[in-house]
Structures are given as C-alpha cells and as structure tokens.
Amino acid sequence: MVRNIGAVKWVEEMAALCKPDSVVWIDGSEDEKKRLTAQALSTGEVLELNQEKLPGCLYHRTAENDVARTEHLTFICTSKKEDAGPNNNWMAPQDAYSKVGALFDGCMKGRTMYVVLFIMGTAGSPFRKIGIELTDSIYVVLNMRIMTRMGKIAADDLGENEDFTRCMHSKGELDIERRYILHFPEDNTIWSYGSGYGGNVLLGKKCLSLRIASYLGRNEGWMAEHMLIVGIETPEGETHYIAAAFPSACGKTNLAMLIPPEGMPGYKVWTVGDDIAWIRIGPDGRLWAVNPEAGFFGVAPGTSYKTNPNAMETAKTNSIYTNVLLTPEKNVWWEGMDVEPPAEGIDWRGNPWTPDNGEKGAHPNARFTAPASQCPVISPEWENPAGVPLSAILFGGRRAKLAPLVYESFNWQHGTFVGATMASETTAAATGAVGVVRRDPMAMLPFCGYNMAKYFAHWLKMGKKLTNPPKIFNVNWFKRGDAGEFLWPGYGDNLRALDWIIRRCKGEIEATETAIGYVPTKGSINTNGLDISEAALEKLLEVDPTAWLEELEGMQTFFAQFGDDLPEEFVKEQQALKARLGK
Ligand code: GTP
Ligand code: SPV
Ligand code: MN
C-alpha cells in the first residue's frame, strides 16, 4: 500500500527498536475494522455493547491511573529551553530520545505494531497535515479511525512526500512512573509511552493538531487553537461563524451543537468542530477556520438528552465509550445522563456498583468517541478545505465569580489581551486538583508547543495582517450566586449570548462601555421565554472594579514569568486597564 521510502524506513527503524512480533499497515477498510474489533474483543481490550440499543458501539476501560491527560509528564523537547518557554516542561531532545528510547526498546515483544497513516484536515487540502502513528493498541487504532481520516486515503494523499509527523506510541506497562508524552517540534516527531488515555495517545489530536501545529503555525503564518467552530443561522437566513476557546471540560462540545431555546424560533445551529480550529487569513482579509478532526472525543458525564441531545444522537451508533458505567444489559450510563441509574452495574474501575455505594459509576472524564458525520446538525461546510469565515472569536472559562456572562473587547489587541488573561477552574480532563482557578491563556496553556510569550506575539502579528478581523468576546456560563447556584441556565440558552454577539458584530445594537470592555445594555439580551430574575441578570452582567483590580494583580504575577519576552502591547494593556479601573 505504501511506497513512501521515508515512511517505510522510519517504520523499520521503530520496529527494530520496539521489536514487535509483527507489523501491520492499517488500510482503514470495513473488513479490517471487523478483524481488529474481533481481536480486541477476544482479548478483552474492548467489550461489545448492546447492539440493539447501541449498534456498532464498543466499550473500553483504561487503567485506573490513566484516565486523563497527565500534564506533568508532557514535555516539549527543543534544543533551547527558552523555546519551550516557562509554560512547558522541557527536556533536551537527546536526553529525551535516549531516556524514553530505553523504554521503547523491546516494549512490543509479543505484540503487534500497527501503522496508522492519518490526515488532520481533508485529503488534498493545501492546509492539511499528515501523520503516521505507530501503536501497539487496537483501541488507539479504532479511535483514530473515528477521529481522523486514515488508512489508504492518507497513504494516497501522502504519496512520496516525506513531510509527515512521526508519531510513536506504546502502552508500555501503563505505569505512571514510566509514562512520557514527548514532543520534538524541530523534528516533527511525537513520542508517547506508558498511557492508553485519549489525549495522551490519539496523537493526531492534542499532540499534533495543537502542540506541533501551533509551532508550525507560528513559522508558517497561521494559528492552531483549542476552539470549537459553530455556525449560527439567524431567522433572516444569514449564517455567522464563531470560534470559541474554552479550557478542557468547559463547554466546547456543548456550544458547538446547542439546540436553540423555544423562545428563539427561526435560529439554526450548525456544528463545524468541537475542539480544534486551524485558522488562516483568507484573501478577503478575514480569518477562516477549519476543523482538522473527523470525530468528537466528548465528555460523557453531564451529557444528556436535556443538555446536549445532538451529542447523544451522534454517539448512538459506531462509537466507543471509555470509562463510563456498564449496565447489566450492556448499555452505558453516567452521572448527569438524566436517566434513572441501573440497580447495579460495573463502574469505570471495573468494580461492581450500586447507586448507593458512594462511588461514581463513570469517571468524571469518561468519554465517547463518535464520528462527526453522524451529528444531526453537522454543518454542510464542515469538510470545506477553505474553512468558514469567522465573525467572532470567544474566550471563556469556568469562573464562579468575576467574569460577566458576556463582554466585548475594544479591538484585536485588547481582545488578544483578554484571551491571554483568561483564567478558569481546573476540571477532571487533566490529572490534579479540580476546581482551582488557574490562568489558562486562550485555553492553550496545556497545548501551546512553544514559548507562550511568542505565541502572544504571534496573535498580535496576525491581527496586524487582518483587514477585516473578527470581534473578540469573553463569555462565562459558570457564574454562581451566593448560594453556589449557577446564575445562568447555560446550554441551549447560551444562544442568547451568541445572538447578542452577532448583533454587535453587525453593528445593530448599542452596548455599555466599562473598564473591561462592552457589556450588554439592560434589555439587550433576548430573554424571550427565559425564566430569570432581574437580580440574577444584573449580577451576571456586573463589573466590580475592586475585584478586577485584584484580578489584574493575578495577571501581572502570571505574566512576570515571561520576563522581557512578554509583548510590550500587553504591558500597555495592563496599564490601560488599571487606568480605566480608576487607579
Ligand atoms: P473537552 O473535550 O475536554 O475539551 O471539553 P469541552 O470544552 O468540549 O466541554 P463539554 O462541552 O464536553 O462540557 C464539559 C462539561 O461542562 C459537561 O459536563 C457539560 O455538561 C458541562 N457544561 C457544558 N456547557 C455548560 C453550560 O452552559 N452550563 C453549565 N452549567 N455546564 C455546562
Ligand atoms: C481535552 O482535554 O481538552 C480534550 C480531551 O479534548 S483530550 O483528547 O484527552 O485532550
Ligand atoms: Mn479539548
């Protein structure tokens, strides 16, 4: 199938290192899928789910210590430490290759090495990137089959071109003490050892499409961002595209496929992507975004027919469920699914479970892998190689206090500053404490493959090249009242904020200028059919200068680590914010 000399040589070299019993080149066919599935079923690597209720769906459980990205074991290996920046763990490339090379040595004895050629983007597109992942996990192959365009289509697209990302993965022993996720941007190479969890092992996703791609994008003049892309069709029939960066488990998948609330008839929502956007400047001076992925790797807990029916429909067939609760009927269940829990089941650890045994049935970061093409509201433009033009970029996170429901930045430079000063409460998508506010610029802190100060500069530079830039906004669906309750209903009702954003982009409505940006003037958010008190709305839109002055201190502390690399524009933005806050 593959006559690419560089690919064949590299696979031979890696096979000589890992010493698998056999090497299998994946073609991506239906027959092959059947064979691989049968084999994974026979070893228990995956389980078959109820084929009446969930046709074509499989179940998988990862090791108990391997259920989320491990940021402390993730490294950027550049020749110079400063190129990785204070935002990344760093290892010298030679040290990394020899240290983890020793782990790869012989690690596939008794196993098969699968060779997966895959495309991020669509075949033939000038903007796609091609990778080859070597892995000893059928679960990884089956997931890559959903998340990317892979096999023969990728081999044909690559042809004899030797410019591909070399992605090396082994489960190893699944020992957290022997786990490394290494990126070598200068060599276009990724090495992942000792994990079987999504973001650590589906190397086309965070590793290639964000860490390596952000590095390539800076060199090549484009941007790789942790953003959903959604089209909003107004009752007048115009479609406006919005990209939004929220940290992991902060609502991207949900916003990308929301269902308009009853009070907003005539609106339609079209999903283009739910996690990653590659963004370029078009000939018209606007930003154009593509989703390089072919599937969704979505958070299961909290997903229900009430909160996100489109995700439930998407994942009903041909999907893989990881670390959810398994019911006696071989169905799946998770917390927040909004159906009665089964009387008993097997939890994400593989232990017997009952609703009252005090344990979670599903891990909070349990996931479904589902083909994007199955999404009932997938955009007709989702595979357009040119992408979709962006009217607005949103930043947002989980902030119980401070950040208003929505506000608009003054201009691109200020908007970049707003994105760079984002903060959010941590979630179960990465190991470590949950619920701690940390700064997460552009939701890219765990995913920026180089010095983030240079990344900020890249954003500013891109803005200077735009003759028709999108407007930049900040949103927060997670503000809480005094009793700890969410003040905003969220989910489908988030369209009310998007609607305000679109009307601002079109210059149709006035807004109130505050120290942090423009907030909705009273009465300008469509609350038709929404049961919300005046007091809650007021609280949602409040800007408290004292609290923002405190926030400014947090920003300054965070920026200090970048020293002189921090763009001077950000120093000016900090001063201007301070002045606007009256100090
Ligand atoms: P990653 O796949 O990790 O990048 O996550 P994501 O940003 O796509 O987050 P996702 O949409 O999967 O949502 C994560 C969790 O937040 C789920 O439990 C959702 O139910 C919950 N959530 C999403 N949107 C809202 C919202 O508007 N309000 C509230 N309260 N919760 C939300
Ligand atoms: C995230 O954590 O942002 C995800 C899931 O989208 S993972 O692929 O594990 O990174
Ligand atoms: Mn994500």
Side-chain angles (χ1 to χ4, degrees), residues 69 197-199 205-206 226 248 275 297 367 429 447:
R69 285 181 292 101
Y197 167 73
K205 194 173 177 60
K206 294 303 175 20
H226 190 200
S248 303
D275 199 48
F297 185 59
R367 299 241 167 197
F447 307 117

Side-chain angles (χ1 to χ4, degrees), residues 96-134:
Y97 282 129
S98 67
K99 182 172 187 164
V100 180
L103 301 180
F104 275 118
D105 191 353
C107 71
M108 293 192 188
K109 278 184 192 151
R111 302 182 188 175
T112 301
M113 176 191 270
Y114 299 97
V115 182
V116 182
L117 280 84
F118 63 93
I119 312 171
M120 300 315 298
T122 49
S125 152
F127 306 133
R128 87 279 195 218
K129 298 283 173 197
I130 296 179
I132 305 184
E133 177 160 356
L134 310 183

Side-chain angles (χ1 to χ4, degrees), residues 479 487 522 532-543:
K479 204 167 183 185
L487 288 167
K522 205 173 168 199
I532 191 167
S533 70
E534 275 300 316
L537 254 183
E538 233 163 75
K539 186 117 191 145
L540 277 164
L541 297 175
E542 166 190 86
V543 177

Side-chain angles (χ1 to χ4, degrees), residues 67-69 71 147 197-202 205-206 210-211 226 246-249 252-253 274-276 293 297-299 365 367 427-430 443 446-447:
V67 290
R69 285 181 292 101
E71 294 181 3
M147 295 305 295
Y197 167 73
N200 289 341
V201 302
L202 308 178
K205 194 173 177 60
K206 294 303 175 20
L210 288 179
R211 297 195 191 96
H226 190 200
F246 308 155
S248 303
K252 287 184 300 302
T253 301
D274 84 322
D275 199 48
I276 296 175
E293 301 190 280
F297 185 59
V299 177
N365 192 39
R367 299 241 167 197
T427 66
F447 307 117

Side-chain angles (χ1 to χ4, degrees), residues 6-26:
V8 171
K9 251 176 67 184
W10 175 66
V11 172
E12 278 170 4
E13 201 183 300
M14 289 298 117
L17 176 65
C18 302
K19 306 179 181 63
D21 285 5
S22 58
V23 176
V24 171
W25 292 70
I26 294 297

Side-chain angles (χ1 to χ4, degrees), residues 206 226 246-255 274-275 297-303 307-308 365 367 398 429 477-478 486 488-491 494:
K206 294 303 175 20
H226 190 200
F246 308 155
S248 303
C250 290
K252 287 184 300 302
T253 301
N254 278 270
L255 194 70
D274 84 322
D275 199 48
F297 185 59
V299 177
T303 305
T307 58
N308 193 350
N365 192 39
R367 299 241 167 197
R398 285 180 188 262
W477 317 138
F478 300 93
F486 286 122
W488 181 246
Y491 302 103
N494 292 337

